[in-house]
């Protein structure tokens, strides 16, 4: 294929991938009057920030954003704390369990969550965790763990075993080796896994929909969907503004770790 | 265990003395997965043979294959399932074609590559709900950019309500599905492309093979395992899609975009038929496994 043709193709991709994002941004700066009356156009007629303030005042956006933050941070920390020792054990001791764990990561992709959510809902109800944030955190941790484990054990394998042996020869105890030698080398992997768990939880909708019935408990995705309830043209501005705001945290995180996450995924893939 | 066996095992696995230590390390991760994932999975399969209802103190009794008999004759489910298959197959195929094209472009030295790479990542970072809402704005009959652009280009004479039209709703959400799944597929294919040995390409070029010839005879066969893996995963992810479609159409108009997951969700949590919804879950799993099995089997056989 000739070079100009390639550029045309690349441009087409850029347009397809980029235009919905630009339209979302453009809509979030439009006045209610412009939405209701004017022929839609890319540049807002009288750009305004009122949609963003509206979004915060009319719906309980601040509250649900805070709840989402609490849930996602808890999920990230708990997932890594639980997964790190297991990842270390799996990476250093090749065993049957190792293969079973990796197999479960794959199998859990195939089974529809529908099959799991009903019994899970019944269990949570018995534990009085339905309609609570701890209940949602519990479920998110359970479903983030397998993949986090897989990511982390890839990183552990990246740390040469010889380093540990060398430290042992130098007289360092097992714990000391872990803290002084292994932990620093694992930091990038741990950060990537934390962020992966955070984003998965922040974005998650289905479990939240089933578990959190009370509007006072709603996380951000649940509150956002409520905006579609009354979809007159006038409500579209705040809807767009809220969507933009909801994307910002994960977009920032993603920009920071993009390269790391990618290498983490492939590290796990190659060495798994 | 006899001493000899123990000794053999001890020698076979280096550091088996740490065996107990290892299981202690594994337990914290294993227990929640067993209790809240493996357990419910088995319990869910059991529920599919019962008449469990949503109520708190409902009595559950075993009804054998009754639920499955009802699944087989449930016309609403089968039309939902047909929609699900059309959706999953079209999105997977289109996603693959689009992502392969993009990956090939990103793999050659073009300007703007960085921008395209970053943009291709965007859907990955966005909450699925936001993706759905964003495309609602694009498709909006009066305030959406799609109608405005098509009208300016005189392709359509009047505004089309894309998401509420029986004929256009499913194609409209398929486009969104393709957009959403581009990142994973592109990244995986790109990684695969970078693993294709350049010596083969050079040798073929010396032998006079053109660009297309080299693509068909070298790149594609080398990519094959990667392609099979990612299309299989995409298919499973797509058929289990929920949030994005919920935000776009909630299954409407008239059930035209009611994917199996939405159907089962309504049976379980709107009408409270837990047992029946579990049976739907089992049925969906079986069909997915069969489709996947056939696909993988065919690919393996062609490969051998």
């Amino acid at each position: 294929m000739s070079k100009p043709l390639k550029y045309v193709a690349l441009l087409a991709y850029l347009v397809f991938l980029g235009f919905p994002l630009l339209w979302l941004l453009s809509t979030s700066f439009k006045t209610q009057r412009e939405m209701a009356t004017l022929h839609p156009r890319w540049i807002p007629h009288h750009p305004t920030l009122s949609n963003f303030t509206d979004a915060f005042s009319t719906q309980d956006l601040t509250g649900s954003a805070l709840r989402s933050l609490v849930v996602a941070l808890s999920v990230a920390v708990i997932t890594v704390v639980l997964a790190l020792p297991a990842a270390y054990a799996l990476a250093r001791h090749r065993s049957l369990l190792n293969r079973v764990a990796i197999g479960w990561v794959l199998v859990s992709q195939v089974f529809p969550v529908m099959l799991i959510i009903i019994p899970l809902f019944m269990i949570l109800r018995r534990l009085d965790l339905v309609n609570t944030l701890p209940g949602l955190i519990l479920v998110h941790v359970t479903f983030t763990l397998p993949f986090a484990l897989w990511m982390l054990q890839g990183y552990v394998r990246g740390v040469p075993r010889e380093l540990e042996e060398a430290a042992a020869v130098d007289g360092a105890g097992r714990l000391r080796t872990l803290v002084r030698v292994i932990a620093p080398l694992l930091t990038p992997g741990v950060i990537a896994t934390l962020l992966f768990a955070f984003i998965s939880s922040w974005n998650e909708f289905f479990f939240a929909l089933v578990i959190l019935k009370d509007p006072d408990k709603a996380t951000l995705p649940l509150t956002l969907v409520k905006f579609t309830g009354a979809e007159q043209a006038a409500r579209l501005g705040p809807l767009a503004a809220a969507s933009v705001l909801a994307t910002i945290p994960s977009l920032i995180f993603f920009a920071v770790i993009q390269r790391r996450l990618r290498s983490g995924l492939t590290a796990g893939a190659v060495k798994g | 265990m006899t001493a000899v066996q123990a000794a053999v095992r001890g020698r076979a696995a280096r550091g088996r003395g740490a065996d107990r230590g290892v299981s202690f390390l594994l337990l914290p991760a294993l227990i929640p997965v067993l209790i809240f994932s493996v357990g419910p999975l088995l319990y869910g399969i059991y529920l599919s043979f019962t008449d469990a209802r949503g109520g708190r103190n409902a009595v559950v009794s075993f009804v054998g294959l009754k639920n499955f008999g009802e699944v087989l004759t449930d016309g609403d489910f089968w039309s939902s399932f047909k929609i699900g298959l059309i959706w999953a197959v079209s999105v997977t195929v289109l996603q693959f074609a689009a992502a392969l094209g993009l990956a090939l472009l990103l793999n050659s030295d073009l300007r703007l590559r960085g921008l395209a790479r970053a943009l291709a990542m965007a859907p990955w970072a966005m909450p699925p709900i936001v993706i759905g809402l964003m495309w609602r704005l694009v498709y909006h009959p009066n305030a959406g950019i799609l109608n405005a652009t098509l009208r300016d280009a005189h392709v359509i004479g009047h505004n089309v309500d894309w998401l509420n039209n029986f004929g256009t709703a499913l194609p409209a959400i398929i486009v969104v599905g393709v957009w959403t799944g581009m990142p994973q597929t592109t990244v995986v294919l790109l990684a695969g492309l970078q693993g294709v040995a350049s010596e083969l390409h050079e040798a073929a070029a010396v032998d006079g093979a053109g660009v297309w010839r080299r693509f068909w005879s070298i790149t594609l066969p080398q990519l094959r395992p990667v392609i099979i893996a990612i299309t299989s995963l995409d298919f499973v992810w797509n058929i289990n899609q929920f949030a994005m479609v919920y935000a776009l159409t909630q299954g409407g108009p008239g059930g035209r975009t009611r994917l199996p997951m939405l159907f089962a969700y309504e049976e379980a949590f709107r009408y409270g038929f837990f047992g029946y919804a579990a049976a739907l879950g089992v049925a969906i799993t079986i069909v997915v496994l069969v489709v996947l099995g056939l696909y993988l089997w065919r690919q393996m056989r062609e490969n051998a």
Side-chain angles (χ1 to χ4, degrees):
Chain A
M1 216 186 340
S2 65
K3 210 136 207 191
L5 216 60
K6 279 186 182 171
Y7 274 110
V8 172
L10 191 64
L11 200 67
Y13 275 110
L14 286 177
V15 169
F16 176 61
L17 291 168
F19 91 92
L21 300 170
L22 287 179
W23 186 245
L24 179 67
L25 272 181
S26 158
T27 310
S28 70
F29 290 111
K30 282 181 182 166
T31 59
Q32 297 197 359
R33 259 199 55 199
E34 174 169 2
M35 298 272 239
T37 55
L38 293 179
H39 184 70
R41 35 182 257 160
W42 282 101
I43 312 289
H45 208 63
H46 296 292
T48 172
L49 286 174
S50 67
N51 290 324
F52 289 87
T53 49
D54 272 12
F56 274 107
S57 57
T58 51
Q59 297 271 346
D60 184 24
L61 241 145
T62 336
S64 54
L66 277 176
R67 280 188 292 275
S68 274
L69 198 65
V70 168
V71 170
L73 281 177
S74 318
V75 169
V77 172
I78 297 173
T79 302
V80 169
V81 167
L82 294 180
L84 198 53
Y88 182 79
L90 285 182
R92 285 294 184 249
H93 299 266
R94 287 194 156 276
S95 66
L96 182 68
L97 249 180
N98 194 334
R99 247 170 268 159
V100 172
I102 304 296
W104 177 254
V105 175
L106 292 173
V107 169
S108 62
Q109 300 283 323
V110 179
F111 282 101
V113 271
M114 204 59 220
L115 203 52
I116 295 177
I117 190 65
I118 296 169
L120 197 54
F121 178 81
M122 293 164 85
I123 294 171
L124 290 179
R125 195 166 57 182
R126 185 148 310 166
L127 298 173
D128 270 326
L129 286 174
V130 169
N131 227 342
T132 66
L133 296 186
L136 185 64
I137 292 171
L138 188 82
V139 173
H140 280 181
V141 167
T142 309
F143 281 86
T144 318
L145 257 177
F147 198 79
L149 192 60
W150 190 52
M151 267 177 89
L152 276 175
Q153 63 107 27
Y155 283 110
V156 175
R157 288 216 183 141
V159 178
R161 199 191 267 269
E162 288 74 25
L163 279 180
E164 275 171 66
E165 285 159 7
V169 169
D170 288 348
R174 209 168 162 73
L175 188 68
R176 204 178 141 87
T177 310
L178 281 180
V179 174
R180 285 296 169 84
V181 180
I182 309 301
L185 289 168
L186 275 182
T187 311
V190 168
I191 292 175
T193 313
L194 277 171
L195 292 169
F196 160 75
F198 181 92
I199 294 172
S200 310
S201 171
W202 177 268
N203 289 354
E204 205 281 328
F205 175 73
F206 181 67
F207 291 126
L209 178 71
V210 171
I211 293 169
L212 304 174
K213 289 288 164 211
D214 192 345
D216 293 344
K217 299 275 172 56
T219 52
L220 199 51
L222 292 177
T223 308
L224 281 176
V225 160
K226 270 188 283 176
F227 272 77
T228 62
E231 197 178 327
Q232 308 90 1
R235 304 278 304 131
L236 293 177
L239 176 67
S243 299
V244 171
L245 292 174
T247 309
I248 287 174
S250 48
L251 218 54
I252 292 173
F253 280 130
F254 229 83
V256 173
I257 59 139
Q258 201 213 79
R259 204 156 292 155
R260 272 194 191 146
L261 182 59
R262 216 161 42 199
S263 62
L265 290 177
T266 44
V270 173
K271 289 163 187 162
Chain B
M1 192 191 297
T2 68
V4 177
Q5 275 175 320
V8 170
R9 280 193 55 183
R11 211 176 315 141
R14 182 155 46 136
R16 264 297 162 122
D19 220 18
R20 194 166 298 161
V22 170
S23 39
F24 270 128
L25 292 177
L26 285 174
L27 278 182
L30 221 52
I31 288 174
V33 172
L34 282 177
I35 298 181
F36 297 108
S37 188
V38 180
L41 181 63
L42 301 175
Y43 192 39
I45 295 173
Y46 162 75
L47 280 179
S48 67
F49 296 100
T50 70
D51 63 351
R53 298 291 299 261
R56 220 171 208 284
N57 296 312
V59 180
V60 177
S61 51
F62 193 78
V63 293
L65 291 169
K66 182 165 164 282
N67 287 328
F68 292 96
E70 276 172 29
V71 170
L72 286 177
T73 53
D74 186 344
D76 285 345
F77 170 68
W78 286 109
S79 70
S80 152
F81 199 77
K82 207 180 89 193
I83 291 165
L85 277 184
I86 295 173
W87 147 270
V89 171
S90 344
V91 173
T92 305
V93 169
L94 294 172
Q95 224 166 45
F96 167 67
L100 182 62
L102 183 58
L104 285 169
L105 287 172
L106 292 179
N107 200 33
S108 53
D109 59 345
L110 295 175
R111 272 164 226 263
L112 293 176
R113 233 173 11 160
L115 178 62
R117 212 181 274 239
L119 268 182
M121 290 298 145
W124 208 344
M126 292 175 81
I129 285 296
V130 169
I131 294 177
L133 296 179
M134 177 180 75
W135 280 88
R136 264 178 103 119
L137 296 175
V138 169
Y139 285 133
H140 196 277
N142 303 315
I145 188 66
L146 185 63
N147 275 339
T149 309
L150 291 179
R151 241 169 44 203
D152 289 346
H154 299 289
V155 177
I156 52 173
H158 56 91
N159 285 340
V160 178
D161 195 353
W162 300 96
L163 293 172
N164 282 314
N165 231 318
F166 276 30
T168 55
L170 188 55
I173 67 163
I174 286 174
V175 171
V176 185
V178 173
W179 189 90
T180 308
M182 289 281 283
Q184 292 95 317
T185 316
T186 307
V187 167
V188 170
L189 289 175
L190 189 58
L193 279 176
Q194 283 160 354
V196 173
S198 55
E199 293 84 14
L200 283 175
H201 265 277
E202 283 155 20
V206 170
D207 287 349
V211 176
W212 288 111
R213 184 70 210 276
R214 273 180 282 156
F215 176 72
W216 280 112
S217 318
I218 298 174
T219 310
L220 267 189
Q222 293 239 336
L223 268 187
R224 198 175 179 115
V226 176
I227 293 174
I228 293 170
I230 190 63
T231 45
S232 308
L233 274 177
D234 277 343
F235 175 76
V236 173
W237 285 331
N238 287 328
I239 202 139
N240 285 329
Q241 176 61 255
F242 183 89
M244 198 192 76
V245 178
Y246 188 90
L248 274 169
T249 61
Q250 297 215 340
R256 289 305 150 102
T257 60
R258 198 196 282 139
L259 304 185
M261 273 288 284
L262 280 102
F263 184 84
Y265 168 78
E266 285 180 2
E267 291 294 322
F269 294 103
R270 182 172 293 176
Y271 307 119
F273 297 123
F274 279 10
Y276 185 62
L280 290 176
V282 172
I284 296 169
T285 309
I286 291 173
V287 178
V288 167
L289 287 177
V290 167
V291 171
L292 220 55
L294 279 177
Y295 173 69
L296 291 176
W297 180 68
R298 245 197 69 185
Q299 293 297 332
M300 303 284 188
R301 210 183 45 171
E302 273 175 32
N303 212 18

